[in-house]
Amino acid sequence: MLVLEADPRSPERGQYAFAQELLREVAYETLAREDRKAYHLAVAGYFESLDAEVLSSALAAQYVAAHRNARPGEEADALAVQARRSLQAAGERAMSLGSTAQAQQLLEAALEMADEPTEQTTLLVEAAKAGVMAGHADVARGQLERAIELYRELDDRDAAALATAQLVDAVVKDGWQLEKARNLARDAAAEFEDLGESEGLARIFAQLARLEMLLREDLVAAIAISDRTLAMAEPLDLPFVVADVLVTRGTALSSSGRPLEGIGTIEAGRKVAEDIGDAYTEARALLNMGGPLSDYDLVEMFDASRKALEIARRIGERWGTALSATNMAMAATATGQWDLAIAELRRELDAHDDEHHPARIAAVLAELLAHRGEDEAELTDSVVHYFDSQIKAGTVTVQREADSFHAQIALAHGRYDDSIRHATAVATDDSFNATGGYFIASLPALLARDISAIKAALDGLATTRAHGPIVKLDRQRAQAGIDALSGHTAEALAGFTGVMRGYRQRNAPFYVAATGVTMCAVLDPSLPEVKAAVAEAREILEELRARAWLDRLDEALARSAAVAPAS
C-alpha cells in the first residue's frame, strides 16, 4: 500500500506515500473537513519538531491542505501565510538539490498565496529563475515581465534593473532569440544608466557583453563592454558578475583569433566561480572552453564538456545539459567514444520536454547515426522541420546550426557538393565555429577530388587566424590533397603521413581514419603508404562501426584505382 521515495534529488527522499492515489482518496474522504485540518496541522507540527530540511516539501503540503480545509477568516489567512512560507522554503530546497522543475512548481504554488506586491515580486523572480533552469524560459519571461511591472509600481529601480537582466537571459533561452535579447539589453542599459555603479546595471552590461559575443557581429564591442563591466563589478564586490563576465570576455577573445588568451581568461572565470560556489558559471566556463580547445586538445575538450554536463545535471540546468551533451558528443566523435556519445545524447533527448533543446540534441545524434550508416531519417526530418520553422519565424542565427547539420548529413551520405556548400556557409557566417566549418568543408572537397574547393577551405582556415595544433593538421591535410592532385606525390605522402601521426598523438582516431580515407581518394591506392593508411583507417572505422565511412573508403578505393595520378 505504501512506497518509499528513493530519488536522491527529491526533497521527499526517505518518505512514504500511498502506492495508489485511489487508496489515499478513499481514506481521506472519510474524514470531516475540520478533522482533516486538525490532522494536517498535527502532522505539520510533528514535522516542524523534527527540524529536518528533508521534510520541507511534506511540511508545505500539510499547511496547504490545512488551509484548503479551513473556514474563511483569520485562521485561514494565517494558514495561507504559513503555507506560502513553507512552499517557498520547499522550493528553495528543491533548487539546492537540482530539482528545478519541482522548485518552479512549489514557488508558483507559493505565489498563488501571496497578496502583498513585495512578496509577489520575490516569488516571481525566484520562480522564473527555477523555470529558466528547468527549461521553461517561456513561462519565466511572463513572470519576470510581471515582476518588473510591480517593481516599477513600487518605484524600486534597482530591483527592476536586476529583474530586467534576468529577463534578457530568459529571452536568450526561449528559442535563442539573440537579436531580441540584445535589443532588450541595450534599452535597459540606456534606461538604467543613471543608476551608476550598481549591481543592476553591472548585470545588464554583463548580459549585453554576452549577446555581442554570441552574435559575433562586433567582438571588439563585446570585449569593451566586458572590460567596462569588470571595472564596475570588482570594486562593488560582485564576484558572481566577475566570474560570468570573465567567461564572456574569454570566449570573445577566442573568437577574435586570440584563443590562448581566451582559454586563460575563461579559466580565470571558472576558478572564481568554483571558489564562490557558483556551479552554473563554472559549467558555463567549461562549456565555452570547448570552442577554443577543439583547436588544441580534443581530449581536454571532451573532459571539459563532460564535467560541464555533470555539473549541469547536478544543478538541474536543462539548457546547460543540452549544450554540454552536444559539445561532448562532438569531441567524442573525434576521440572515438561514439557509443558513450550516443548513449548520453539519447538520455538527454528523453529528459527534455521543451520545443528547442530536443531538436538540437537530435541534430547531433542524427549526425553520429548517419556516420554509422544507421537510419536517421526520422530524426533528420524532425530537425529540419524545427530549423525551418525557426528561420521562418525570424531567428536568423539558427541558419548557422542548420547549415552545420546539413553539412554533416550530406558528408555521411556522400553528397559532397552539398556538404561543401553548407560547411562553407557556416565558416563564413560564424567566426566562433569558422575553423570547424572549414575543417568539414575540406573533407568532402578532398573526397570529391575538387582542388578548387580544397584551396578555398585551406584559404579559409588561414583567414581564421587560428593556429592551434589541430588547425595546423587540418591545413596540412588540405595542402597534402592539393599536392596529390597537382602530381606532387612525394610531398603529398609526407603530408598525409604527418597528419595521421599528429592525430594519432592527439588521441583522435576518427580523424586518423578520415585522413586515411581522403588520402586514398587523391593518391594511387597501390602505393605502400596509402595501403598502410587504408588498413589503419578500415580497422578504426570497423571498431567505430562507421558503416557510412567504410562505404566512402570503398568508393575512394574504386575511384582512385581508376584515375590514379602519376607517381
Side-chain angles (χ1 to χ4, degrees):
M1 293 180 64
L2 299 175
V3 292
L4 176 66
E5 174 59 71
D7 185 350
R9 294 194 307 166
S10 174
E12 298 174 358
R13 183 186 183 190
Q15 299 173 36
Y16 288 90
F18 282 98
Q20 294 182 356
E21 186 66 20
L22 181 60
L23 292 173
R24 178 188 179 281
E25 288 302 316
V26 170
Y28 193 69
E29 290 300 325
T30 62
L31 298 172
R33 290 174 63 90
E34 194 66 28
D35 290 337
R36 293 179 203 168
K37 182 193 71 176
Y39 285 133
H40 284 303
L41 289 174
V43 174
Y46 174 69
F47 285 166
E48 287 185 322
S49 72
L50 297 176
D51 193 26
E53 282 191 355
V54 71
L55 297 172
S56 60
S57 182
L59 175 63
Q62 296 302 322
Y63 277 120
V64 169
H67 172 261
R68 188 168 54 243
N69 285 284
R71 298 180 186 278
E74 291 185 4
E75 183 184 29
D77 294 341
L79 287 173
V81 172
Q82 195 64 47
R84 174 178 54 76
R85 291 173 178 170
S86 298
L87 285 165
Q88 185 173 2
E92 291 169 354
R93 174 170 168 74
M95 278 290 286
S96 71
L97 294 172
S99 296
T100 49
Q102 185 174 14
Q104 181 187 7
Q105 294 171 357
L106 289 165
L107 291 165
E108 287 173 348
L111 181 61
E112 292 177 4
M113 296 187 169
D115 297 323
E116 294 297 323
T118 53
E119 297 169 353
Q120 292 172 354
T121 52
T122 299
L123 289 166
L124 283 165
V125 169
E126 289 186 6
K129 180 180 179 181
V132 169
M133 295 274 283
H136 305 143
D138 53 340
V139 176
R141 286 177 63 180
Q143 292 167 337
L144 289 166
E145 287 165 356
R146 176 56 181 153
I148 293 166
E149 288 178 7
L150 289 172
Y151 282 133
R152 293 188 194 284
E153 292 174 8
L154 294 167
D155 196 28
D156 190 344
R157 297 186 70 246
D158 289 306
L162 288 168
T164 302
Q166 196 173 333
L167 176 60
V168 173
D169 182 57
V171 173
V172 171
K173 293 175 179 174
D174 184 18
W176 207 236
Q177 300 180 67
L178 301 183
E179 288 281 4
K180 187 170 185 176
R182 181 171 64 179
N183 290 337
L184 176 60
R186 284 175 172 173
D187 291 344
E191 177 184 356
F192 296 105
E193 181 77 28
D194 63 303
L195 292 179
E197 294 193 353
S198 62
E199 181 178 359
L201 188 59
R203 288 189 180 273
I204 288 170
F205 278 138
Q207 290 294 340
L208 183 55
R210 174 178 170 228
L211 284 158
E212 294 291 1
M213 176 272 290
L214 289 171
L215 284 161
R216 296 189 271 280
E217 295 172 356
D218 189 350
L219 291 168
V220 172
I223 295 168
I225 297 169
S226 295
D227 289 339
R228 179 180 179 184
T229 310
L230 290 167
M232 183 186 301
E234 192 158 0
L236 289 173
D237 193 20
L238 301 174
F240 289 87
V241 178
V242 171
D244 177 63
V245 177
L246 284 171
V247 174
T248 295
R249 189 179 193 280
T251 310
L253 287 168
S254 297
S255 297
S256 304
R258 296 154 66 182
L260 292 176
E261 186 180 355
I263 292 171
T265 307
I266 295 171
E267 171 59 19
R270 188 206 66 78
K271 185 66 169 61
V272 173
E274 182 183 41
D275 289 346
I276 62 176
D278 183 1
Y280 172 84
T281 301
E282 184 182 1
R284 179 176 174 243
L286 291 163
L287 176 66
N288 284 25
M289 281 184 191
L293 282 175
S294 67
D295 294 340
Y296 283 86
D297 191 326
L298 293 162
V299 174
E300 193 171 338
M301 176 190 175
F302 174 85
D303 291 341
S305 300
R306 191 170 191 182
K307 186 175 180 181
L309 178 60
E310 291 170 355
I311 294 172
R313 281 177 175 164
R314 188 181 77 239
I315 65 175
E317 212 277 292
R318 306 311 300 159
W319 180 271
T321 60
L323 292 179
S324 300
T326 54
N327 256 30
M328 189 190 73
M330 291 173 190
T333 300
T335 59
Q337 294 156 287
W338 289 21
D339 288 339
L340 173 63
I342 289 171
E344 293 289 11
L345 289 169
R346 290 193 188 281
R347 175 178 171 180
E348 284 304 310
L349 195 58
D350 291 340
H352 287 269
D353 59 0
D354 62 293
E355 176 187 3
H356 307 289
H357 293 141
R360 291 181 166 90
I361 297 165
V364 180
L365 177 58
E367 291 167 10
L368 267 172
L369 295 178
H371 288 313
R372 276 197 161 165
E374 297 182 20
D375 182 12
E376 90 300 331
E378 186 175 346
L379 277 174
T380 295
D381 288 345
S382 69
V383 172
V384 170
H385 174 75
Y386 170 78
F387 285 147
D388 287 347
S389 66
Q390 291 297 301
I391 292 167
K392 288 177 182 176
T395 311
V396 294
T397 52
V398 170
Q399 185 64 57
R400 302 168 182 168
E401 298 176 73
D403 280 321
S404 178
F405 174 70
H406 287 301
Q408 290 278 8
I409 296 296
L411 173 59
H413 286 284
R415 302 195 308 272
Y416 300 140
D417 288 345
D418 287 345
S419 183
I420 293 168
R421 176 168 53 85
H422 286 294
T424 303
V426 174
T428 55
D429 189 50
D430 184 356
S431 61
F432 190 68
N433 293 302
T435 55
Y438 286 122
F439 161 75
I440 295 298
S442 70
L443 290 176
L446 286 162
L447 292 169
R449 300 169 58 89
D450 185 340
I451 193 167
S452 62
I454 301 170
K455 287 180 178 178
L458 181 59
D459 291 342
L461 283 168
T463 64
T464 66
R465 298 169 62 197
H467 45 267
I470 303 298
V471 180
K472 289 177 181 177
L473 290 171
D474 297 343
R475 293 170 64 179
Q476 185 179 342
R477 179 173 56 195
Q479 183 59 57
I482 293 170
D483 289 339
L485 294 172
S486 301
H488 306 304
T489 303
E491 292 87 342
L493 287 170
F496 277 120
T497 302
V499 172
M500 293 184 73
R501 180 172 59 252
Y503 281 138
R504 205 179 295 120
Q505 290 170 345
R506 286 164 178 79
N507 297 304
F510 176 62
Y511 286 0
V512 173
T515 303
V517 176
T518 58
M519 183 178 181
C520 170
V522 296
L523 285 168
D524 182 352
S526 67
L527 292 170
E529 296 90 340
V530 179
K531 284 184 177 181
V534 167
E536 184 177 5
R538 189 177 296 280
E539 181 180 358
I540 292 169
L541 295 172
E542 287 176 349
E543 185 176 346
L544 292 174
R545 304 196 301 281
R547 183 68 256 171
W549 277 88
L550 288 166
D551 291 343
R552 303 289 81 78
L553 176 59
D554 291 338
E555 291 168 4
L557 279 168
R559 186 171 62 249
S560 292
V563 294
S567 60

